[in-house]
Amino acid sequence: MTATVYIPADAGALSVGAGEVAAAVAAEAARRGVALRLVRNGSRGAYWLEPLVEVVTPAGRCAYGPVSAADVSSLFAADFLNGGAHPLALGLTDAIPWLKGQQRLTFERVGIVDPASLADYLQHGGYRGLTRALALAPTEVVQTLTASGLRGRGGAAFPTGIKWKTVLEQPVTQKYVTCNADEGDSGTFADRMLMEGDPFSLIEGMTIAAIAVGATSGYIYLRAEYPHAAVALRSAIAAAYQGQYLGADVAGSGRRFDLEVRLGAGAYICGEETSMLESLEGKRGEIRVRPPLPAIKGLFGQPTIVNNVVTLASVPWILARGADAYANFGMGKSRGTLPIQLAGNIRRGGLVERAFGLSLRELLYDYGGGSASGRPIRAVQVGGPLGAYIPPAHFDTAVDYEALTGIGAMLGHGGIVVFDDSVDMARMARYAMEFCAIESCGKCTPCRIGSTRGMEVIDRILAGVDGERNVRLLEELCETMVQGSLCGLGGMAPFPVQSALKHFREDFRARV
């Protein structure tokens, strides 16, 4: 019999040696004359166990990890191809508590399927959502999204159904579907994981969007720093064309939808939708003044859907299983699940997909296992480099859009970066201002000038120069940026500074 072994080709797994492990497994199998089928899947998201090697057994997929190339010979000697005992054995993959306790909807196939195989995608429920969408009127598809409660998973959390309805109602023939895959927030990797581990789900989600609003053309705007994702997407798009799930006759429906990948040039500002559209048009990535909204006048002046990867990849599940099934997950106005990314000083970093409503404390300790250093966690930054720093007093706050807003924070793309008690929060505030100064598109004065002046003011505070006066000046400057900036970069860059001043003022007073 031919044994089947799964070893991730995910960029995160490759960075810790998955490529070398795969080569060693193939070489050892050849040396022993063992028939082997090696599948390069996506990561399961348990990065603290990578490289994770899985083998198909009669009982299910058994996991071993973290595996190094030096461990491969002993794995074969232990008969791991039949689930043999070994110090690195983790048992059945699905029974690993860290994975078993999750609710994977959007990421249900990531780590399970061969991301390059359309047949594998279909075998695991792929394109059922598109089949359902083609059987409905466009208004019914949009209504299904609205009823599901799906909100944008990229930061603003705008209701997806409302955005699609606006595009649908525009009386023009040329419309676009765009995916903002410029995942630039610190501590985030959900988009990359999904594009590398289940690219067809994104393609299917964009195709459903096109069918719903009458668009015939789509673009995935991908950050150039994701070369593995680019290869995975282009391979999957080619397979979708060959399988007639893209092109002039989508799934035999007579409807057209063409899709291609465009690489960005590395500007953080292009994570903002109008800057991304400018870049797609070949212009400098720079904020557009709104109105008009992109749903009315977007790419090349035409009505355009702009959603991020996780939002669009959630659509097939909703269409396949129904709006109510999705809305049954979550709490309040936050429905469904969110892929949460644990990074920074954390013992068990990785991706956790759970329904809205669990607490930050549950994420940090039940899933994350506390800090990697073993020291107390002093702060977490939620929502990327523009997110607020949250102290332990708020760790019982639910992961929910409104609950986090209530404590002056934001959920954003679901990235959580952890800091232990050795962190200097005044210096972290300075870093936030420096990030904004570097990444500002320069179009508006509050962001362009304010971030640079903010950096200078914090430098004076750190140097102990006229501390109290400069702290007051910094607070006034932050308020000016929040109220006067054209987009979220300048408007939210003060959030980490303001939260550091509020919750960790002693780090500033030490200089005063």
Side-chain angles (χ1 to χ4, degrees):
M1 290 181 63
T2 300
T4 300
V5 175
Y6 289 83
I7 302 176
D10 170 274
L14 291 174
S15 72
V16 290
E20 291 82 353
V21 171
V25 167
E28 187 68 15
R31 189 180 72 81
R32 292 171 179 259
V34 175
L36 189 73
R37 173 176 171 255
L38 184 59
V39 179
R40 306 306 303 278
N41 59 325
S43 173
R44 298 268 193 157
Y47 282 115
W48 49 285
L49 293 176
E50 291 290 3
L52 185 72
V53 175
E54 295 180 77
V55 59
V56 177
T57 72
R61 280 163 67 161
C62 291
Y64 298 81
V67 177
S68 70
D71 298 317
V72 170
S73 179
S74 67
L75 283 173
F76 275 89
D79 195 25
F80 90 109
L81 293 179
N82 291 301
H86 188 276
L88 297 178
L90 300 167
L92 293 174
T93 313
D94 291 338
I96 296 172
W98 197 87
L99 292 169
K100 187 178 181 181
Q102 298 190 34
Q103 297 159 305
R104 293 206 163 183
L105 308 186
T106 306
F107 278 70
E108 64 176 345
R109 283 177 293 265
V110 177
I112 307 294
V113 299
D114 177 354
S117 171
L118 176 59
D120 206 7
Y121 182 69
L122 293 170
Q123 186 178 343
H124 286 82
Y127 280 112
R128 291 180 186 173
L130 177 62
T131 301
R132 174 65 176 153
L134 289 171
L136 299 173
T139 53
E140 293 175 305
V141 177
V142 172
Q143 179 54 38
T144 299
L145 261 291
T146 303
S148 74
L150 178 66
R151 296 164 69 174
R153 301 294 192 240
F158 190 81
T160 305
I162 294 176
K163 184 178 287 189
W164 287 24
K165 183 174 184 288
T166 304
V167 177
L168 172 63
E169 290 174 345
Q170 302 311 304
V172 297
T173 55
Q174 181 62 63
K175 300 175 184 179
Y176 296 98
V177 176
T178 61
C179 173
N180 194 331
D182 192 62
E183 184 177 49
D185 285 350
S186 50
T188 59
F189 44 86
D191 290 358
R192 180 194 57 73
M193 259 187 67
L194 195 139
M195 290 183 289
E196 292 177 6
D198 188 19
F200 288 105
S201 65
L202 173 58
I203 295 168
E204 182 181 0
M206 295 186 72
T207 308
I208 292 170
I211 296 299
V213 303
T216 57
S217 184
Y219 298 93
I220 300 172
Y221 184 86
L222 179 68
R223 62 187 287 114
E225 295 90 339
Y226 281 177
H228 301 290
V231 171
L233 284 170
R234 285 171 173 151
S235 173
I237 287 171
Y241 270 106
Q242 188 172 4
Q244 294 190 321
Y245 288 101
L246 288 174
D249 186 22
V250 172
S253 67
R255 305 186 195 186
R256 184 179 197 95
F257 182 59
D258 292 300
L259 181 62
E260 62 179 281
V261 176
R262 294 284 179 90
L263 295 182
Y268 179 79
I269 193 64
C270 290
E272 192 277 336
E273 60 180 6
T274 63
S275 296
M276 181 204 74
L277 294 175
E278 288 286 287
S279 183
L280 270 175
E281 292 179 5
K283 303 172 187 173
R284 183 175 187 268
E286 193 175 71
I287 299 299
R288 292 180 182 176
V289 178
R290 289 169 290 186
L293 297 170
I296 297 171
K297 188 177 180 181
L299 187 63
F300 303 117
Q302 302 301 316
T304 304
I305 285 178
V306 184
N307 286 127
N308 86 321
V309 174
V310 172
T311 310
L312 289 162
S314 299
V315 170
W317 196 98
I318 295 168
L319 265 294
R321 293 169 176 83
D324 290 343
Y326 191 78
N328 283 337
F329 292 89
M331 61 180 284
K333 295 180 181 179
S334 301
R335 312 312 304 179
T337 61
L338 179 72
I340 302 155
Q341 300 117 94
L342 296 174
N345 193 338
I346 193 78
R347 181 171 291 139
R348 296 195 292 263
L351 182 134
V352 176
E353 184 175 356
R354 280 284 303 270
F356 290 96
L358 79 167
S359 69
L360 286 171
R361 190 177 304 279
E362 186 177 353
L363 280 167
L364 295 172
Y365 295 99
D366 293 356
Y367 284 99
S371 71
S373 63
R375 299 172 66 96
I377 295 176
R378 189 182 184 208
V380 296
Q381 188 176 31
V382 181
L386 310 181
Y389 294 110
I390 301 175
H394 291 309
F395 284 178
D396 290 316
T397 303
V399 177
D400 161 85
Y401 291 115
E402 281 68 39
L404 286 170
T405 300
I407 63 168
M410 65 172 189
L411 186 52
H413 190 40
I416 298 178
V417 180
V418 182
F419 304 89
D420 71 13
D421 63 354
S422 65
V423 69
D424 183 336
M425 295 308 297
R427 292 195 178 278
M428 293 308 301
R430 201 263 186 203
Y431 170 79
M433 277 295 187
E434 180 183 22
F435 181 87
C436 182
I438 292 170
E439 297 293 346
S440 173
C441 77
K443 186 162 187 174
C444 69
T445 302
C447 177
R448 182 182 71 251
I449 303 299
S451 54
T452 300
R453 295 291 86 84
M455 211 167 40
E456 294 168 353
V457 172
I458 296 175
D459 281 341
R460 290 200 293 271
I461 295 170
L462 292 174
V465 177
D466 204 2
E468 288 290 358
R469 178 179 176 276
N470 279 312
V471 166
R472 291 194 300 272
L473 182 62
L474 180 61
E475 290 173 330
E476 293 174 3
L477 176 63
C478 285
E479 191 59 29
T480 299
M481 291 178 67
V482 169
Q483 299 297 330
S485 297
L486 277 176
C487 83
L489 178 57
M492 292 162 61
F495 288 1
V497 180
Q498 291 172 320
S499 62
L501 285 166
K502 179 179 180 181
H503 300 299
F504 307 98
R505 204 173 185 92
E506 62 272 19
D507 287 19
F508 295 86
R509 288 198 178 113
R511 274 75 178 194
V512 174

